[in-house]
Amino acid sequence: MRLQKTLAAVALGTASFAAAGPALASGSAYTVAVGGSSATAAHPFTAATTGAVAWSTPTLSFGCSGASVPASPPSTVSSGAGVTDVLTVNEVSFTGCTVPLGALSVSAPTPWRFHGSSPSAPGSADVVAGHVEGFSATWSNAACRFTVTGTADASFDETTQRLVIDESGLTGDLVVSGVVGCLSQFQNGQPFDVKAYFAVSSPDGVIDLS
């Protein structure tokens, strides 16, 4: 069962997260404006991590030096009323991924979709809590291969235009499967955590949820 972190005290402009009920395969509906326009449209965006990406299981911590969402194929921000799929990520590239067994290549099937679950006021500087659905990634080298799938806790900061993926606590929302080799460093059914800070940029302007 998923523990959802929800944003409290939005009206005061401060963010705190508390445990909620199990996650659903959906999120709250928002009016989304990009560059001040809430007309229905799909706006392209790119993103790059500000710092390293941290991964962990109950037995191992490792990381990647960075990750990015490229311009092609285009990932999109959906503007308009009643929007649930706020951000749709259609490709993620990881670099500099290593474990004690050596360097790993990463393939990340997409789309990943950010859904919000906390309130957001028009034109404000809110941190909208939610989750990334459809998270999937496979790590591999000559000695090891494993896949991680599930739903990751996340938030979108309107002030910094930053998508933060922060699945922590080894709750089982992301799970390891398909392990081949790996010298018991990874095991099927293990919970998996991830932390990454993506700076999001759309050529159409600032993203705002209300």
Side-chain angles (χ1 to χ4, degrees), residues 54-57 62 148 167-172 174 191-195:
W55 316 97
S56 62
T57 70
F62 63 108
V148 172
E167 179 62 34
S168 59
L170 298 170
T171 61
L174 297 177
F192 193 87
D193 282 356
V194 56
K195 192 163 192 175

Side-chain angles (χ1 to χ4, degrees), residues 36 45 49 99 144 190:
F45 76 88
T49 53
V99 293
C144 180
Q190 279 185 316

Side-chain angles (χ1 to χ4, degrees), residues 111-125:
W112 296 2
R113 292 187 171 92
F114 172 70
H115 293 171
S117 59
S118 69
S120 186
S124 64

Side-chain angles (χ1 to χ4, degrees), residues 15-167:
S16 62
F17 292 90
L24 302 175
S26 62
S28 300
Y30 296 88
T31 295
V32 180
V34 179
S37 173
S38 57
T40 301
H43 303 267
F45 76 88
T46 57
T49 53
T50 56
V53 181
W55 316 97
S56 62
T57 70
T59 55
L60 184 68
S61 295
F62 63 108
C64 300
S65 59
S68 63
V69 176
S72 180
S75 295
T76 57
V77 185
S78 296
S79 63
V83 173
T84 302
D85 293 340
V86 178
L87 300 174
T88 299
V89 176
N90 286 317
E91 184 166 324
V92 188
S93 299
F94 293 92
T95 56
C97 301
T98 59
V99 293
L101 295 169
L104 290 168
S105 63
V106 183
S107 63
T110 50
W112 296 2
R113 292 187 171 92
F114 172 70
H115 293 171
S117 59
S118 69
S120 186
S124 64
D126 295 324
V127 178
V128 181
H131 55 269
V132 169
E133 284 190 7
F135 186 99
S136 179
T138 297
W139 288 257
S140 62
N141 62 17
C144 180
R145 179 183 176 88
F146 65 96
T147 296
V148 172
T149 54
T151 300
D153 283 332
S155 63
F156 183 75
D157 188 324
E158 293 178 325
T159 299
T160 62
Q161 297 287 282
R162 191 167 69 170
L163 174 67
V164 178
I165 301 177
D166 187 5
E167 179 62 34

Side-chain angles (χ1 to χ4, degrees), residues 58 147 172 174-179 186-192:
T147 296
L174 297 177
V175 178
V176 176
S177 64
V179 177
F186 299 96
Q187 300 172 16
N188 290 328
Q190 279 185 316
F192 193 87

